Amino acid sequence: WMATLPVMGYVVGGALSTGLVARTQYRFGRKISFQLGLLVALFSAGLGAWAVSHHQFWWLVCATVVAGYYSANAQLYRFAAAELCQPSFREKAVSWVMAGGLIGAVIGPNLAMFTKDMTAVPFTGPYLALAGIAVLSMTVIAGTIGPQSATLSLDIDGKHVTTQSTGNGPVDAIFNAIRKLYPHAASLQLFQVSAVTEGTDAQAKVSVRLEEEGRTVTGRGADTDTMVAAAYAYVNALNKLLVKRKKTAPEILTVAR
């Protein structure tokens, strides 16, 4: 049964990293977060190669747990693909990313078989190959995704207002736009994205937690467009915060589409 521990470590590591990945995606944007994920993949692959070559089983398990952070990052690639293309090409972009995952599922085992005897200690080679793939992926992503901008419309107390803002990533740009339209002192405690459905028309579910003067609220939003879902979730949380302030007539915000 111990042979299954490295695989279990990868799954558990991915689950434990979900919240951390969401926070780095919001704070640093897609590009830097994906690069961090690949940097972790490079480190974990190197640690795995060392553990195998030195017959250190528990260090190998640790390496797979750490690699779970990369796995949690990779789950968001399809959402990034949808954000970076025109709406008319969105479904194809998501399909291409998902097809890449299927191709990887075929190439991966064959690469492991091809490189398992590459070094004196069997199975050290596949981890070294993974490290090389991480470096290649970092090089590819380095040439994509620049500063993002967002144009957002809100209905505030019956008044329709629109603004444009920029940020480290599309989510950061949207949240900055909301703050610009409705200034507030609330701080973001959690930003989490998950897929409600599978396939090219997957619906993203976003959770946003805000905190202000000891008051904490969680807002949720869902949409096929991750950015729209993020706006819904933030506005939902902000409305809950306004109600918590115990205003006699709280202002109600809605995302205008």
Side-chain angles (χ1 to χ4, degrees):
W1 63 271
M2 291 182 67
T4 64
L5 288 180
V7 178
M8 185 183 72
Y10 186 70
V11 175
V12 171
L16 294 176
S17 300
T18 302
L20 179 59
V21 168
R23 287 193 290 273
T24 57
Q25 288 272 322
Y26 166 74
R27 183 171 182 178
F28 303 114
R30 297 286 198 202
K31 182 175 183 177
I32 294 178
S33 181
F34 288 154
Q35 292 280 46
L36 285 174
L38 289 167
L39 189 62
V40 170
L42 176 61
F43 170 77
S44 62
L47 179 59
W50 177 87
V52 172
S53 63
H54 289 77
H55 307 286
Q56 298 291 325
F57 176 76
W58 291 111
W59 277 110
L60 177 62
V61 175
C62 289
T64 60
V65 172
V66 172
Y69 179 86
Y70 160 74
S71 175
N73 253 290
Q75 298 300 318
L76 300 178
Y77 282 177
R78 56 177 169 169
F79 294 121
E83 296 160 12
L84 294 173
C85 64
Q86 296 297 322
S88 59
F89 190 72
R90 187 166 293 158
E91 290 188 0
K92 288 186 177 179
V94 174
S95 297
W96 276 108
V97 172
M98 296 182 70
L102 293 175
I103 294 172
V106 175
I107 294 177
N110 286 283
L111 181 64
M113 292 297 296
F114 181 76
T115 58
K116 71 173 184 177
D117 296 319
M118 187 174 69
T119 62
V121 180
F123 292 105
T124 301
Y127 288 97
L128 296 176
L130 284 175
I133 291 173
V135 172
L136 177 62
S137 299
M138 290 175 68
T139 303
V140 172
I141 290 182
T144 63
I145 316 176
Q148 300 292 302
S149 64
T151 300
L152 184 72
S153 296
L154 292 179
D155 290 329
I156 304 177
D157 201 22
K159 184 179 179 181
H160 187 81
V161 289
T162 302
T163 192
Q164 186 175 31
S165 186
T166 59
N168 292 326
V171 175
D172 187 44
I174 287 173
F175 290 175
N176 286 340
I178 295 175
R179 293 191 193 96
K180 188 175 180 181
L181 289 173
Y182 192 85
H184 56 278
S187 61
L188 181 70
Q189 300 296 311
L190 172 70
F191 173 75
Q192 189 168 12
V193 181
S194 60
V196 179
T197 59
E198 298 293 336
T200 58
D201 59 344
Q203 188 176 55
K205 181 180 179 182
V206 175
S207 296
V208 168
R209 184 180 302 154
L210 299 179
E211 190 274 333
E212 181 187 63
E213 298 179 355
R215 293 184 291 263
T216 303
V217 295
T218 300
R220 294 179 175 82
D223 194 89
T224 53
D225 189 317
T226 311
M227 298 302 98
V228 174
Y232 284 159
Y234 195 100
V235 168
N236 180 245
L238 195 54
N239 274 320
K240 289 181 179 180
L241 193 59
L242 294 175
V243 173
K244 273 202 169 187
R245 289 175 182 172
K246 297 183 179 179
K247 287 188 174 183
T248 55
E251 299 168 271
I252 300 299
L253 288 71
T254 59
V255 178
R257 295 195 70 179

